[in-house]
Amino acid sequence: MGKLRFRQVHLDFHTSEKIVEIGHGFDAEEFARTLEAAHVDSITCFARCHHGMIYYDTKFTEARHPGLKFDLLRAQIEACHKRNIKVPIYISVGLDEYMAMRHPEWRELTVEGKLGGAPPLVAGWRKLCFNSPYIDYVMEQTKEVLELFEVDGLFFDIISQGQCLCKYCMDGMLEAGLDPENASDRAKYARQVLDNFQRKMTALIRQYNKECTIFYNAGHVSPRTADILDTYTHLELESLPSGGWGYEHFPITVRYAKNLGVEYLGMTGKFHKSWADFGAFKNEAALQFECFNALAHGAKCSIGDQLHPSGKLDPVTYDLIGSVYKEVAAKEPWCDDVTAVTEIGVFTPEAIGAADARVDTALAGAYRILVESHYQFDVVDQRMDFSKYKVIILPDKITLDDSLRQKLSEYVAGGGALLLSYHSGLDRGLTQFLLDVGATYQGEAPYSPDYLRPVGELARDIPDTEYVMYDQGTAVELTSGQGLAELWQPYFNRTYRHFCSHRHTPVEKKMPNPAIIKKDRIIYFAHPIFSMYKNHGARVYKQLVQNALRLLCPEPLIKTNAPTTAHISLNWQEKESRHVVHLLHYIPERRSNQVDTIEDIIPLYDVEVAIKTEKQPQRIYLAPEGKVLDFKYADGYVELTIPKIYGHAMVVLEY
C-alpha cells in the first residue's frame, strides 16, 4: 500500500452535462508536466462527479459526460504514473444529479415528506439514499473502475445519510425492530445504513485490489469516523478555512485524528473562498500556513483545485501550489513518522453527542486558550489512553455515564488531574456530580450574569476586583473542596420589571457559593468558561484557566516569550531520535464580511523557548536550513533563542 504522499492535489471536476465540450484542451503530457513542476506527487482525479457524469469509457454509457470525446481518466492516470505521481480515483456517492433526476424514488425522504437536497427551482444537488437500489449502481460502477484501471486509491464523497423515511428505510427500520416515529431510532438506522455501505464497499474493493487506499469523506472526522475505522486505510481532513470550516476546524480535528492509529492528511483549497471558486486564488501566506500547520501536526498535505471543463490546468494555480509545495518538499524529512508530544487531553463533546456545531463552541474555547498559552494537547474520547496526559479537560458539557465515570476515576487515582467546567462531571440527567469535586450540585445559578473574584493562587496576574461572568453557571455548595474564587451577585436579574442601565446589573454582594473549587487533583469551574471565552473573548477567562493549569501542570512542556498569536507544536521522530519544535506565526484576519484569510507574514525576533526533555540534546539546529543554535540545559529544560521566525520555523533537537 505504501505511505501517503506529502504533496497532494484533490482535483474536483463537477461539470454540468450542459457544457457541451469537455476536455478539448487537455494534453496529457502538459497535464503531468505541470503537476511535476509544482512538486505535486499525488492527484485525485474523477471517475464520477456530483452531476453524475462519468469521465472514462464506461459501460454506463448514458451517464458518460456527453461532451467528453475520449477516456480522460485513463489519460490522466497513465501520464501521471510515468512521472511517479499517484492518482487516487474520486467517486461521488451521496450526490448524483443524473440518477436523482431519473430515479426520484432513490432520493432521501425527510421527516417532513420532502425529497432530500435542493428543491426543484434551486440550483443545487439532490441527495440520494444509501439504502436504496442506487447503491447497487454505485457498487457496479466502482467494480468497473477496479477492473479497468491501475487503482492507487479510491475516494468516496458525500458519505452521509439523513433520517430518511423512503420506502426502503421504512421497511428496513420495521424489519430491524426500530420505530420510524422515533428520532433516535431513525438516527441509529441511518448510521447502520452508512456502516453497511462502507463495509460492503471495502469488501468489494479488496476482492479486486489488496493495496489501494480507501477513504470515505463526510467533510469531517470525528468519533463517528473512529467507530468504523477498519473500513478506511487513512483519513483526509477536509478543512477549507475560508470555505465554511474556519481556521479552528483543522487544528482541533487533527488533534483527535492523530491518535487513531492511521495516516492522515490535511485538505485545504487553492480557492479564495471554497470549492468551485473559479478565478479566485488563496493568498500565498494563507496557503503556506494551512500546509505548514498540517506538517506541524504530522499530517500530509492536500490542496483542492477544480479542473476547467477544457481539461487544462490553470498555470497561475500551479505556480501558487508549487511555491508552497517546494517548501513542503524541503521540510518533509523532519515531518515524516512523527508522534505528538502532549501533556493535556481535551475531551470532545462529539464523543457523547453534545457538540453544538461542526466545531463545538466549548471545544473551540478550550482550543483557543491552550494554543494561545502554548500548551501541548490532544483532543480525546473515551476509547483513548488517558494515562499519558498530566491533565484531562472536560469542557462545559461533558456529562458522564458509568463507564466514563469509572475511567476518569481510575485516571485520577493513578495520579492524573482533571479540569472540569459547568455541567461536566454531572450525570446525564444533570442531577448530581458523579465525580468528587468537593461540592454538591444545586442546579443552575440564580443570577446571570453574576460575578467572580479569584483568590489565592488563582488570582495570579489578575487585578483584585469582581469580573462579570456573561453566561449562566451552576450553583454548587462547598463540601470538602477548597474555594479558589468567590461568587458575587448583582442587585437583581435584568427583566422588564427591574433593570439598570444598558446591559447587566452591577455587582451587589458576595454569595456563599464558590465559583471555582479545588479538590486534590480536580479543579471545577461553575461557569461554562470555555464557551464563554469563545463567545466573549474576555482575557480574564483565559487567565483563570491558565492559573488553574499552573496548579495541575506546574512544569509545562513549552515555556516561551512568544506572543499568543504564535502556534507551537512539539513532535518526536523515533527513528531519528530527535524532537522537532514547529513555531508558526501567521495571523488570520476577517477583512471582509465572509472570509478569514492571511495576507501578511509578520516576523518574530529573538523568541525564547524552553522545552522540557528527559535528557540534554547533543545538537540543536533550524531545519531545513541547518543553522546551529546555542542552548543550555538546566532543571530539565532546554533553553534557546530563535533569532527570527518568518512564518514557520522548525527547531530540531538531536540526541
Side-chain angles (χ1 to χ4, degrees):
M1 185 180 303
K3 297 172 66 175
L4 290 181
R5 299 285 179 90
F6 266 97
R7 291 164 272 122
Q8 304 193 32
V9 164
H10 185 97
L11 190 65
D12 264 14
F13 198 50
H14 303 292
T15 307
S16 170
E17 71 280 7
K18 304 295 184 182
I19 298 177
V20 298
E21 200 171 23
I22 297 297
H24 58 281
F26 178 80
D27 180 285
E29 186 67 19
E30 179 186 56
F31 180 82
R33 188 170 59 246
T34 300
L35 296 173
E36 186 177 51
H39 306 277
V40 174
D41 54 18
S42 178
I43 182 167
T44 301
C45 293
F46 272 39
R48 187 176 76 244
C49 73
H50 290 350
H51 290 275
M53 297 291 98
I54 293 175
Y55 299 98
Y56 62 88
D57 292 340
T58 174
K59 66 183 179 183
F60 303 102
T61 53
E62 299 85 358
R64 188 179 188 273
H65 197 293
L68 186 64
K69 308 304 181 187
F70 65 102
D71 194 332
L72 175 60
L73 179 58
R74 184 174 300 279
Q76 291 170 324
I77 292 172
E78 291 177 353
C80 288
H81 280 180
K82 288 178 183 177
R83 285 175 164 78
N84 192 30
I85 299 172
K86 288 191 174 183
V87 189
I89 295 172
Y90 175 101
I91 297 175
S92 180
V93 183
L95 301 178
D96 183 328
E97 198 68 2
Y98 180 87
M99 286 300 179
M101 295 299 287
R102 285 155 182 79
H103 291 280
E105 74 278 11
W106 292 353
R107 289 172 63 182
E108 285 187 3
L109 187 64
T110 70
V111 176
E112 297 77 22
K114 298 178 180 178
L115 292 176
L121 299 180
V122 172
W125 317 109
R126 278 72 173 170
K127 182 68 174 63
L128 278 299
C129 174
F130 279 66
N131 199 37
S132 72
Y134 168 68
I135 294 302
D136 297 332
Y137 165 67
V138 173
M139 301 286 285
E140 279 299 311
Q141 196 247 325
T142 303
K143 177 181 174 183
E144 180 183 62
V145 166
L146 289 161
E147 291 173 335
L148 290 177
F149 298 105
E150 182 181 349
V151 177
D152 295 323
L154 287 163
F155 183 106
F156 298 98
D157 203 8
I158 318 298
I159 307 304
S160 66
Q161 175 79 358
Q163 295 185 18
C164 181
L165 290 174
C166 73
K167 174 187 183 322
Y168 310 104
C169 288
M170 288 284 285
D171 290 347
M173 277 186 274
L174 293 172
E175 185 176 338
L178 298 173
D179 181 5
E181 296 184 66
N182 183 286
S184 296
D185 279 8
R186 294 195 300 269
K188 179 180 180 180
Y189 189 69
R191 290 193 296 271
Q192 291 177 2
V193 166
L194 284 184
D195 289 356
N196 290 339
F197 164 74
Q198 289 186 210
R199 294 200 184 284
K200 286 173 59 179
M201 182 60 80
T202 295
L204 171 70
I205 294 165
R206 290 300 181 232
Q207 291 177 24
Y208 291 86
N209 189 315
K210 304 296 185 185
E211 298 297 323
C212 72
T213 59
I214 304 169
F215 179 67
Y216 300 94
N217 186 46
H220 182 54
V221 169
S222 70
R224 173 76 189 97
T225 312
D227 291 340
I228 194 166
L229 192 63
D230 59 329
T231 63
Y232 302 77
T233 58
H234 69 287
L235 299 173
E236 303 197 20
L237 279 58
E238 182 182 9
S239 187
L240 281 63
S242 56
W245 283 261
Y247 273 102
E248 292 173 343
H249 177 265
F250 173 76
I252 289 174
T253 306
V254 74
R255 282 177 164 87
Y256 177 77
K258 67 173 64 173
N259 286 301
L260 295 179
V262 297
E263 280 196 278
Y264 50 98
L265 62 82
M267 181 193 292
T268 183
K270 72 92 183 180
F271 312 102
H272 176 63
K273 292 186 178 180
S274 195
W275 295 106
D277 190 8
F278 292 107
F281 306 90
K282 181 158 289 177
N283 295 334
E284 184 175 352
L287 193 59
Q288 284 180 0
F289 173 65
E290 290 155 25
C291 290
F292 299 163
N293 198 27
L295 297 181
H297 289 287
K300 309 299 169 56
C301 304
S302 178
I303 300 173
D305 182 27
Q306 178 142 340
L307 186 64
H308 188 273
S310 69
K312 289 182 69 69
L313 295 172
D314 177 66
V316 173
T317 293
Y318 286 85
D319 286 346
L320 171 63
I321 292 174
S323 70
V324 177
Y325 273 176
K326 181 180 180 180
E327 294 193 57
V328 170
K331 297 171 188 285
E332 286 175 17
W334 295 273
C335 304
D336 201 15
D337 290 327
V338 301
T339 302
V341 183
T342 54
E343 57 205 332
I344 295 173
V346 183
F347 197 94
T348 174
E350 287 187 291
I352 61 168
D356 57 21
R358 181 158 55 185
V359 178
D360 177 76
T361 304
L363 183 57
Y367 160 77
R368 287 250 56 95
I369 291 173
L370 295 175
V371 164
E372 291 167 12
S373 307
H374 309 303
Y375 283 103
Q376 304 302 297
F377 64 100
D378 293 331
V379 174
V380 303
D381 63 14
Q382 57 267 43
R383 76 191 83 211
M384 294 177 182
D385 178 14
F386 289 177
S387 65
K388 64 180 181 177
Y389 303 110
K390 295 178 182 177
V391 181
I392 298 290
I393 295 177
L394 307 182
D396 297 356
K397 56 180 71 172
I398 310 303
T399 56
L400 310 182
D401 58 15
D402 189 62
S403 64
L404 184 54
R405 177 203 60 77
Q406 182 176 347
K407 181 163 186 171
L408 290 168
S409 297
E410 291 172 353
Y411 165 73
V412 173
L418 294 179
L419 197 162
L420 307 85
S421 55
Y422 192 44
H423 288 160
S424 293
L426 295 171
D427 67 289
R428 295 279 157 83
L430 304 182
T431 63
Q432 62 179 335
F433 286 115
L434 295 186
L435 296 171
D436 184 4
V437 302
T440 58
Y441 175 69
Q442 297 178 313
E444 298 300 283
Y447 294 96
S448 182
D450 51 20
Y451 295 81
L452 174 151
R453 187 172 191 151
V455 298
E457 295 171 282
L458 217 69
R460 177 176 172 176
D461 299 326
I462 300 175
D464 185 21
T465 189
E466 299 84 27
Y467 293 90
V468 65
M469 307 303 282
Y470 288 112
D471 296 337
Q472 186 176 24
T474 60
V476 294
E477 182 178 358
L478 197 65
T479 54
S480 57
Q482 170 193 359
L484 297 180
E486 301 166 350
L487 191 65
W488 289 63
Q489 72 179 51
Y491 287 92
F492 43 74
N493 284 325
R494 184 181 179 90
T495 73
Y496 72 94
R497 292 179 297 173
H498 38 64
F499 63 92
C500 180
S501 194
H502 297 71
R503 293 185 64 84
H504 46 271
T505 311
V507 65
E508 181 190 18
K509 61 184 179 182
K510 180 182 172 182
M511 299 177 69
N513 312 75
I516 303 174
I517 302 161
K518 183 177 186 295
K519 171 70 183 292
D520 299 326
R521 304 270 308 147
I522 299 176
I523 293 179
Y524 171 76
F525 283 68
H527 294 88
I529 195 74
F530 298 104
S531 298
M532 287 166 61
Y533 188 66
K534 171 62 177 173
N535 286 329
H536 308 292
R539 182 183 176 188
V540 67
Y541 300 161
K542 175 170 63 177
Q543 291 175 299
L544 290 166
V545 173
Q546 289 172 333
N547 288 345
L549 287 172
R550 285 191 183 101
L551 295 174
L552 300 177
C553 183
E555 295 185 342
L557 287 168
I558 299 289
K559 299 178 182 179
T560 181
N561 68 348
T564 59
T565 48
H567 292 215
I568 302 178
S569 300
L570 178 61
N571 291 330
W572 172 253
Q573 282 187 301
E574 179 66 33
K575 291 180 183 178
E576 292 79 8
S577 187
R578 64 192 182 196
H579 282 111
V580 182
V581 185
H582 291 259
L583 301 100
L584 294 109
H585 194 245
Y586 297 84
I587 304 176
E589 295 181 275
R590 176 147 295 193
R591 295 187 174 186
S592 66
N593 289 335
Q594 298 181 7
V595 176
D596 290 341
T597 190
I598 302 167
E599 183 171 337
D600 302 308
I601 300 175
I602 302 173
L604 299 176
Y605 295 93
D606 298 325
V607 176
E608 299 172 5
V609 182
I611 306 110
K612 187 173 179 58
T613 63
E614 294 182 358
K615 59 182 179 179
Q616 179 174 330
Q618 296 180 356
R619 185 169 79 109
I620 298 179
Y621 62 93
L622 293 171
E625 55 266 44
K627 177 180 173 60
V628 175
L629 298 178
D630 293 330
F631 69 94
K632 69 176 183 178
Y633 187 71
D635 300 323
Y637 281 90
V638 178
E639 300 175 5
L640 56 93
T641 299
I642 305 166
K644 180 180 179 180
I645 299 172
Y646 188 74
H648 180 213
M650 294 190 296
V651 180
V652 183
L653 288 66
E654 289 189 342
Y655 298 90

